[in-house]
Amino acid sequence: MASLQVEKRFDAAAYVAWEETQSERHEYLAGDVFAMVGVRQAYNVASGNLYSRLRRELKGSPCRVFIESVKTHIEAADSFFYPDVLVTCDPRDRLTPNYVSHPVLVAEVLSESTAGFHRGGKFAAYRKLDSLQEYVLIDVAAQCIEVFRRDAGNHWVLYDYGPDDDVEFSSLGLRVPIEDLLEDTREDGTEQLVAAAERP
């Protein structure tokens, strides 16, 4: 999701209190506040596809899945972000109703305006979360998914997934066909045209 800088500066505690009074969402990075702006339909569909699949697969487990409107607190980076989808399996996160601090998986849907920040500064901040095992980037335009996975040596390894692949979320013990996660996200309308042509 894209963002615009707001002419306000806070410390983290003041930001959390202020954000609770706002009708729109804002991210926080070391004192700077950024208003979240709308996204294209396809990006929202991609977030929903991932959320609904993970929610279904993790039902009955200790893990909770959130979409878009729950903040992640990264204390080591003095940041609060709103990831498109996040998963936490840590009971400590049930004690902080305004945010999550121990996600195991974070996913972001890329746009032209946000791709650089998601791959750079935001990923650098997320890597400071000891709990985080996988960082997922969904590229709707390219119809692919990248998963950065933390290995046993604390290095982040990139796994690329394209057409016909099953996307592995090893932190959750799941594999999901990429076609399920990218369903109905082609912006040229080809999926709908093919479906219509196949109907009797």
Side-chain angles (χ1 to χ4, degrees):
M1 181 170 291
S3 59
L4 298 172
Q5 188 163 2
V6 176
E7 293 299 319
K8 287 184 178 295
R9 287 189 62 84
F10 296 107
D11 62 20
Y15 157 78
V16 171
W18 176 81
E19 178 73 350
E20 288 298 304
T21 69
Q22 302 304 300
S23 59
E24 298 177 344
R25 291 177 294 149
H26 303 80
E27 293 189 320
Y28 171 87
L29 178 58
D32 292 320
V33 177
F34 301 87
M36 308 297 291
V37 299
V39 298
R40 300 171 74 93
Q41 293 181 23
Y43 303 160
N44 187 263
V45 171
S47 298
N49 289 345
L50 178 60
Y51 168 80
S52 59
R53 184 57 180 261
L54 294 182
R55 181 80 176 87
R56 183 168 72 247
E57 296 289 346
L58 296 173
K59 185 176 181 180
S61 79
C63 301
R64 302 174 86 189
V65 187
F66 298 101
I67 185 169
E68 294 184 349
S69 296
V70 173
K71 296 186 289 294
T72 297
H73 180 209
I74 310 166
E75 185 174 6
D78 190 22
S79 301
F80 287 88
F81 297 134
Y82 283 97
D84 290 315
V85 176
L86 71 87
V87 179
T88 177
C89 305
D90 195 308
R92 290 173 292 179
D93 284 326
R94 294 177 181 259
L95 304 177
T96 54
N98 296 327
Y99 54 83
V100 164
S101 298
H102 309 282
V104 67
L105 180 146
V106 165
E108 299 280 9
V109 180
L110 301 179
S111 69
E112 290 183 7
S113 62
T114 64
F117 184 44
H118 287 325
R119 295 182 187 280
K122 187 171 273 192
F123 185 27
Y126 280 133
R127 290 198 302 269
K128 295 182 179 181
L129 289 166
D130 292 338
S131 64
L132 191 67
Q133 297 301 308
E134 289 177 298
Y135 182 57
V136 181
L137 296 177
I138 302 174
D139 190 333
V140 170
Q143 291 287 287
C144 67
I145 294 177
E146 300 173 1
V147 178
F148 291 88
R149 187 172 300 133
R150 192 194 300 262
D151 68 14
N154 204 34
H155 302 109
W156 288 88
V157 181
L158 171 61
Y159 296 83
D160 283 308
Y161 299 95
D164 303 320
D165 287 337
D166 287 344
V167 181
E168 182 179 5
F169 303 113
S170 64
S171 63
L172 305 174
L174 299 175
R175 297 180 71 92
V176 181
I178 194 171
E179 61 192 37
D180 292 356
L181 300 178
L182 294 176
E183 183 181 6
D184 200 23
T185 63
R186 289 187 184 274
E187 293 194 305
D188 58 9
T190 55
E191 288 176 323
Q192 292 75 20
L193 292 172
V194 169
E198 290 176 348
R199 284 197 292 267

